[in-house]
Tab-separated table of all heavy atoms in Angstrom:
chain	number	residue	atom	x	y	z
A	1	MET	N	54.087	-30.983	64.037
A	1	MET	CA	54.035	-30.549	65.420
A	1	MET	C	55.415	-30.089	65.828
A	1	MET	O	56.390	-30.805	65.643
A	1	MET	CB	53.591	-31.701	66.295
A	1	MET	CG	53.634	-31.435	67.774
A	1	MET	SD	52.937	-32.821	68.659
A	1	MET	CE	53.924	-34.162	68.037
A	24	LEU	N	56.967	-32.247	92.336
A	24	LEU	CA	56.995	-32.349	93.790
A	24	LEU	C	57.094	-33.801	94.222
A	24	LEU	O	56.325	-34.650	93.782
A	24	LEU	CB	55.727	-31.727	94.383
A	24	LEU	CG	55.423	-30.287	93.944
A	24	LEU	CD1	54.128	-29.816	94.584
A	24	LEU	CD2	56.566	-29.364	94.303
A	44	ILE	N	46.733	-36.643	63.830
A	44	ILE	CA	45.587	-37.176	64.561
A	44	ILE	C	45.949	-37.455	66.021
A	44	ILE	O	45.102	-37.367	66.911
A	44	ILE	CB	45.055	-38.461	63.882
A	44	ILE	CG1	43.708	-38.864	64.481
A	44	ILE	CG2	46.066	-39.584	63.964
A	44	ILE	CD1	42.589	-37.887	64.204
A	50	LEU	N	44.684	-33.879	73.004
A	50	LEU	CA	43.876	-32.762	73.491
A	50	LEU	C	42.464	-33.209	73.838
A	50	LEU	O	41.879	-32.755	74.829
A	50	LEU	CB	43.829	-31.661	72.426
A	50	LEU	CG	43.145	-30.350	72.826
A	50	LEU	CD1	43.791	-29.754	74.071
A	50	LEU	CD2	43.192	-29.360	71.670
A	54	ALA	N	40.783	-32.787	77.530
A	54	ALA	CA	39.519	-32.062	77.708
A	54	ALA	C	38.483	-32.937	78.404
A	54	ALA	O	37.759	-32.473	79.298
A	54	ALA	CB	39.000	-31.581	76.361
A	73	SER	N	38.070	-25.305	69.414
A	73	SER	CA	38.739	-24.440	68.447
A	73	SER	C	39.667	-25.254	67.546
A	73	SER	O	39.695	-25.063	66.323
A	73	SER	CB	39.547	-23.357	69.177
A	73	SER	OG	40.359	-22.640	68.280
A	81	ASN	N	39.504	-26.895	57.787
A	81	ASN	CA	40.788	-26.714	57.097
A	81	ASN	C	41.229	-25.246	57.164
A	81	ASN	O	41.615	-24.641	56.153
A	81	ASN	CB	40.684	-27.184	55.649
A	81	ASN	CG	42.054	-27.397	55.020
A	81	ASN	OD1	43.040	-27.674	55.708
A	81	ASN	ND2	42.125	-27.247	53.707
A	103	ASP	N	51.745	-38.601	74.273
A	103	ASP	CA	51.096	-39.471	75.244
A	103	ASP	C	50.041	-38.648	75.972
A	103	ASP	O	50.374	-37.732	76.736
A	103	ASP	CB	52.133	-40.013	76.227
A	103	ASP	CG	51.543	-40.956	77.258
A	103	ASP	OD1	50.291	-41.060	77.337
A	103	ASP	OD2	52.320	-41.573	78.002
A	116	ARG	N	48.088	-10.910	67.328
A	116	ARG	CA	47.715	-9.773	66.473
A	116	ARG	C	46.189	-9.590	66.386
A	116	ARG	O	45.604	-9.498	65.313
A	116	ARG	CB	48.308	-9.909	65.069
A	116	ARG	CG	48.452	-8.566	64.344
A	116	ARG	CD	49.152	-8.720	62.996
A	116	ARG	NE	49.374	-7.422	62.394
A	116	ARG	CZ	48.493	-6.778	61.638
A	116	ARG	NH1	47.324	-7.319	61.371
A	116	ARG	NH2	48.774	-5.588	61.126
A	131	SER	N	48.844	-0.184	71.527
A	131	SER	CA	48.603	-0.219	70.083
A	131	SER	C	47.221	-0.812	69.837
A	131	SER	O	46.583	-1.333	70.760
A	131	SER	CB	49.667	-1.055	69.366
A	131	SER	OG	49.476	-2.433	69.606
A	139	PHE	N	42.504	-18.913	76.087
A	139	PHE	CA	42.165	-19.850	77.162
A	139	PHE	C	43.441	-20.443	77.728
A	139	PHE	O	44.422	-20.645	77.003
A	139	PHE	CB	41.253	-20.981	76.647
A	139	PHE	CG	39.999	-20.498	75.989
A	139	PHE	CD1	39.844	-20.593	74.615
A	139	PHE	CD2	38.985	-19.927	76.733
A	139	PHE	CE1	38.695	-20.133	73.995
A	139	PHE	CE2	37.834	-19.450	76.125
A	139	PHE	CZ	37.683	-19.553	74.750
A	158	ILE	N	52.409	-24.669	86.729
A	158	ILE	CA	52.027	-24.846	85.325
A	158	ILE	C	51.520	-23.528	84.736
A	158	ILE	O	51.898	-23.148	83.620
A	158	ILE	CB	50.970	-25.955	85.188
A	158	ILE	CG1	51.568	-27.304	85.615
A	158	ILE	CG2	50.447	-26.032	83.751
A	158	ILE	CD1	50.559	-28.420	85.736
A	163	THR	N	52.416	-18.556	81.242
A	163	THR	CA	52.504	-17.104	81.071
A	163	THR	C	53.943	-16.668	80.780
A	163	THR	O	54.173	-15.758	79.965
A	163	THR	CB	51.954	-16.350	82.295
A	163	THR	OG1	52.626	-16.777	83.482
A	163	THR	CG2	50.463	-16.581	82.440
A	167	LYS	N	55.027	-14.596	77.379
A	167	LYS	CA	55.774	-13.338	77.465
A	167	LYS	C	57.046	-13.383	76.623
A	167	LYS	O	57.456	-12.375	76.042
A	167	LYS	CB	56.136	-13.040	78.924
A	167	LYS	CG	54.968	-12.691	79.818
A	167	LYS	CD	55.456	-12.566	81.259
A	167	LYS	CE	54.323	-12.481	82.246
A	167	LYS	NZ	54.799	-12.472	83.649
A	168	ASN	N	57.686	-14.548	76.570
A	168	ASN	CA	58.956	-14.666	75.862
A	168	ASN	C	58.803	-15.031	74.391
A	168	ASN	O	59.682	-14.718	73.591
A	168	ASN	CB	59.845	-15.706	76.561
A	168	ASN	CG	60.462	-15.163	77.822
A	168	ASN	OD1	61.413	-14.405	77.784
A	168	ASN	ND2	59.894	-15.512	78.967
A	172	LYS	N	55.801	-8.839	70.550
A	172	LYS	CA	55.511	-7.646	69.753
A	172	LYS	C	54.442	-6.754	70.376
A	172	LYS	O	54.530	-5.529	70.304
A	172	LYS	CB	55.088	-8.055	68.341
A	172	LYS	CG	54.987	-6.889	67.374
A	172	LYS	CD	54.780	-7.368	65.949
A	172	LYS	CE	54.759	-6.193	64.982
A	172	LYS	NZ	54.584	-6.636	63.573
A	181	LYS	N	37.284	-14.504	88.300
A	181	LYS	CA	37.533	-13.698	89.492
A	181	LYS	C	38.538	-14.370	90.423
A	181	LYS	O	39.423	-13.713	90.993
A	181	LYS	CB	36.212	-13.453	90.234
A	181	LYS	CG	36.346	-12.527	91.428
A	181	LYS	CD	34.988	-12.248	92.066
A	181	LYS	CE	35.134	-11.306	93.262
A	181	LYS	NZ	33.811	-11.023	93.892
A	183	GLU	N	40.972	-16.201	89.676
A	183	GLU	CA	42.311	-16.272	89.104
A	183	GLU	C	42.991	-14.907	89.016
A	183	GLU	O	44.179	-14.826	88.676
A	183	GLU	CB	42.244	-16.890	87.706
A	183	GLU	CG	41.622	-18.273	87.645
A	183	GLU	CD	42.367	-19.290	88.490
A	183	GLU	OE1	43.583	-19.101	88.705
A	183	GLU	OE2	41.741	-20.267	88.957
A	202	ASP	N	37.759	-7.929	84.868
A	202	ASP	CA	38.133	-9.301	84.540
A	202	ASP	C	38.986	-9.338	83.278
A	202	ASP	O	39.591	-10.353	82.950
A	202	ASP	CB	36.899	-10.184	84.370
A	202	ASP	CG	36.007	-9.729	83.230
A	202	ASP	OD1	36.004	-8.515	82.919
A	202	ASP	OD2	35.309	-10.578	82.649
Side-chain angles (χ1 to χ4, degrees):
M1 174 175 55
L24 307 179
I44 191 66
L50 186 57
S73 171
N81 197 27
D103 181 350
R116 204 175 185 274
S131 73
F139 304 108
I158 296 171
T163 55
K167 291 174 191 175
N168 284 283
K172 190 171 183 179
K181 185 176 180 180
E183 303 300 333
D202 62 332

